[in-house]
Amino acid sequence: MTQTIQKTLRDSAAMRWTALLLLAMAMFCSYIFMDILSPIKDLMQETRGWDSTAFGTMQGSEVFLNVFVFFLIFAGIILDKMGVRFTAVLSAAVMLVGACVKWYAVSESFMGTGLEAWFNNNLNYIPIFDELGVSPFYEGMPASAKFAACGFMIFGCGCEMAGITVSRGIVKWFKGREMALAMGSEMALARLGVATCMIFSPFFARLGGEVSVSRSVAFGVVLMCIALIMTIVYFFMDQKLDAQTGEAEEKDDPFKISDLGKILTDAGFWIVALLCVLYYSAIFPFQKYAVNMLQCNLTLTAPDADSFWASSSVTIIQYIIMLLVAATGFASNFQKKANLKYGLLGLSIVALITYCYMGFMRQSAESIFAVFPLLAVLITPILGSYLDHHGKAASMLVLGSVLLIACHMTFAFVLPMFKGNAVGGIIIAYTTILVLGASFSLVPASLWPSVPKLVDAKVIGSAYALIFWIQNIGLWLFPLLIGKVLDQTNPGVTDPTQFDYTAPLVMLASLGVAALVLGFVLKIVDKKKGLGLELPNITE
């Protein structure tokens, strides 16, 4: 007697990868909007009067509610109680609302309105927050920056909720299957969102020869509408899967206040949490200023207005080449045949060189920094496989910190030496940005798999919630600090392409030094307690 095995949606490779694509595209869109103003910082100063302090305060506001109103914890509770599909749609809707508010704040329609007058006259003093020095607003902050900060706070709540929801969704659809590959693919696509933002935000801001910063944000709003549609489609797919399996949605252990004592007295927790906040604070806030930093340190001469390199079509072509770099490089890691593997890798390298040449010919700081995630996309699967089979997680953390320090110090002291040397400066910039992208892969790839080895399994869910909360403190603080330091060390500078970035970059490099020290401490603790951080994840 033969038994018929009923197949579900996740038993179909096409269906589960479609589910992943829907979730990953939503994160891709959110990553674009997250940094939508970063490559046009100079235009925000010229057209809206945002100095570096205003810009940094607005950028840091994204995680303000997550940190100080503990929305990050509430997001975890919502996910636990309501499940993946509801929370996915909710997070996309919240992000869209925040994106619309931010768009209106920077649009021409906001200027001269009663709402602008209200923001100019109010929110200049926030009780308690001002006394603590953590207010998201300050007296003299432009009204458009204040209102944009309000929208970015709302967006940040949805974005953080989406991040933890996507991870849960991947586990649900890929448990017992290609989970590592699925998570790596989702992260690779999300990081491409950063590069997409760097290329298309200035493109839309300058489209037609007339500068309009609101067009860039409007582009992001359209993408957030697409993200919402993606999550709605995922909702029905996920609902059908549950109907087929008859299973309730998986739930993690919720955050418990009673867990705090056990977690906060765990040395392993503090090492991981501090490494996390130090490393991510040296990367994500830097992204928000990187394009302006390159504008200030490179000698860029705009191509003739009637040349091919100044045309709008070159932006599309360069973006297609970028996608070719990412796709072929990522795919090369999963080919078993040597000729196909190295053929794809060779094609990826040729495409990368072509992309860099086009960035040089365009003389565009935005397209130069857009190479940042490309090497990370290429090597993330390699690093994951190495950790699985050979270990050395603690050593990778140390190496990642060394690369981080070297890159920020190169930006601070070496790159300015090449100002006036158009070719040399851009070569240094490309090389340093690519290496920084590699270090961006090294640390997360080794940090997150190490958490279960350092923290008691009974409190792992609560520990992750606290780690993310501490990480958000850094993501709030350092965009603000960079802006303040930039204004303090550049008194009287009004040209946004003439700032001296030495002090902010040294500050970020110091975070890398602290992370390096902690990396060595972690190696000592691992050796002393036998935590197995240097051992492979896969045991024979």
Side-chain angles (χ1 to χ4, degrees), residues 362-384:
R362 291 183 65 194
Q363 293 288 287
S364 164
E366 308 92 68
S367 63
I368 290 171
F369 184 71
V371 301
F372 172 67
L374 295 186
L375 192 57
V377 170
L378 173 63
I379 70 172
T380 296
I382 300 174
L383 294 173

Side-chain angles (χ1 to χ4, degrees), residues 135-253:
S135 175
F137 314 108
Y138 60 88
E139 189 169 2
M141 186 176 181
S144 57
K146 287 181 184 175
F147 195 28
C150 294
F152 212 23
M153 288 179 199
I154 298 170
F155 171 85
C157 291
C159 190
E160 199 66 44
M161 190 190 301
I164 59 177
T165 303
V166 167
S167 297
R168 175 85 70 82
I170 293 174
V171 170
K172 180 174 184 176
W173 282 80
F174 285 86
K175 191 172 184 179
R177 295 176 176 84
E178 320 95 326
M179 192 186 302
L181 177 57
M183 287 191 169
S185 301
E186 184 274 325
M187 181 56 69
L189 185 58
R191 286 180 179 173
L192 279 178
V194 178
T196 303
C197 169
M198 296 300 161
I199 287 181
F200 282 107
S201 178
F203 171 78
F204 283 108
R206 297 186 174 95
L207 191 63
E210 181 183 348
V211 173
S212 173
V213 293
S214 65
R215 273 199 302 260
S216 294
V217 186
F219 164 63
V221 171
V222 171
L223 291 175
M224 295 319 304
C225 291
I226 294 172
L228 179 57
I229 294 170
M230 294 286 185
T231 58
I232 291 172
V233 175
Y234 173 83
F235 180 97
F236 290 107
M237 282 190 68
D238 193 82
Q239 190 176 52
K240 186 173 181 180
L241 175 65
D242 278 358
Q244 288 177 332
T245 61
E247 299 172 358
E249 292 197 79
E250 291 186 30
K251 300 182 185 297
D252 292 335
D253 290 334

Side-chain angles (χ1 to χ4, degrees), residues 15 54 152 162 192 257 297 350 362 377 397 402 412 426 482 511 522 526:
M15 288 296 101
F152 212 23
L192 279 178
I257 299 297
N297 286 304
V350 170
R362 291 183 65 194
V377 170
L397 286 169
V402 170
I426 289 179
I482 294 171
L511 296 178
L522 188 60
D526 175 52

Side-chain angles (χ1 to χ4, degrees), residues 154-443:
I154 298 170
F155 171 85
C157 291
C159 190
E160 199 66 44
M161 190 190 301
I164 59 177
T165 303
V166 167
S167 297
R168 175 85 70 82
I170 293 174
V171 170
K172 180 174 184 176
W173 282 80
F174 285 86
K175 191 172 184 179
R177 295 176 176 84
E178 320 95 326
M179 192 186 302
L181 177 57
M183 287 191 169
S185 301
E186 184 274 325
M187 181 56 69
L189 185 58
R191 286 180 179 173
L192 279 178
V194 178
T196 303
C197 169
M198 296 300 161
I199 287 181
F200 282 107
S201 178
F203 171 78
F204 283 108
R206 297 186 174 95
L207 191 63
E210 181 183 348
V211 173
S212 173
V213 293
S214 65
R215 273 199 302 260
S216 294
V217 186
F219 164 63
V221 171
V222 171
L223 291 175
M224 295 319 304
C225 291
I226 294 172
L228 179 57
I229 294 170
M230 294 286 185
T231 58
I232 291 172
V233 175
Y234 173 83
F235 180 97
F236 290 107
M237 282 190 68
D238 193 82
Q239 190 176 52
K240 186 173 181 180
L241 175 65
D242 278 358
Q244 288 177 332
T245 61
E247 299 172 358
E249 292 197 79
E250 291 186 30
K251 300 182 185 297
D252 292 335
D253 290 334
F255 181 85
K256 299 175 183 176
I257 299 297
S258 58
D259 291 338
L260 282 174
K262 186 180 292 186
I263 296 170
L264 296 177
T265 55
D266 189 320
F269 163 80
W270 282 109
I271 293 174
V272 172
L274 291 174
L275 271 169
C276 178
V277 71
L278 289 169
Y279 188 78
Y280 281 91
S281 295
I283 292 288
F284 286 115
F286 170 71
Q287 284 179 190
K288 300 181 185 301
Y289 291 86
V291 170
N292 186 234
M293 183 275 295
L294 292 175
Q295 291 170 337
C296 295
N297 286 304
L298 294 176
T299 301
L300 300 172
T301 305
D304 293 336
D306 58 350
S307 73
F308 167 72
W309 299 109
S311 67
S312 57
S313 59
V314 73
T315 302
I316 309 299
I317 295 170
Q318 193 178 20
Y319 185 63
I320 292 171
I321 292 173
M322 174 199 290
L323 295 180
L324 182 64
V325 175
T328 53
F330 189 77
S332 69
N333 290 286
F334 307 101
Q335 306 305 316
K336 294 181 179 179
K337 294 181 179 179
N339 58 345
L340 190 56
K341 178 183 180 70
Y342 292 111
L344 285 170
L345 184 60
L347 180 58
S348 180
I349 293 171
V350 170
L352 178 61
I353 293 171
T354 304
Y355 175 90
C356 291
Y357 172 75
M358 293 183 73
F360 169 74
M361 293 302 294
R362 291 183 65 194
Q363 293 288 287
S364 164
E366 308 92 68
S367 63
I368 290 171
F369 184 71
V371 301
F372 172 67
L374 295 186
L375 192 57
V377 170
L378 173 63
I379 70 172
T380 296
I382 300 174
L383 294 173
S385 177
Y386 186 88
L387 279 167
D388 283 341
H389 294 91
H390 303 285
K392 304 295 182 185
S395 298
M396 279 196 182
L397 286 169
V398 169
L399 177 59
S401 300
V402 170
L403 292 177
L404 179 68
I405 297 165
C407 289
H408 282 314
M409 295 302 280
T410 299
F411 285 134
F413 298 108
V414 178
L415 187 60
M417 294 169 58
F418 285 82
K419 190 158 187 177
N421 185 335
V423 177
I426 289 179
I427 290 175
I428 292 292
Y430 270 134
T431 304
T432 310
I433 292 165
L434 285 167
V435 172
L436 186 64
S439 89
F440 188 40
S441 289
L442 274 168
V443 174

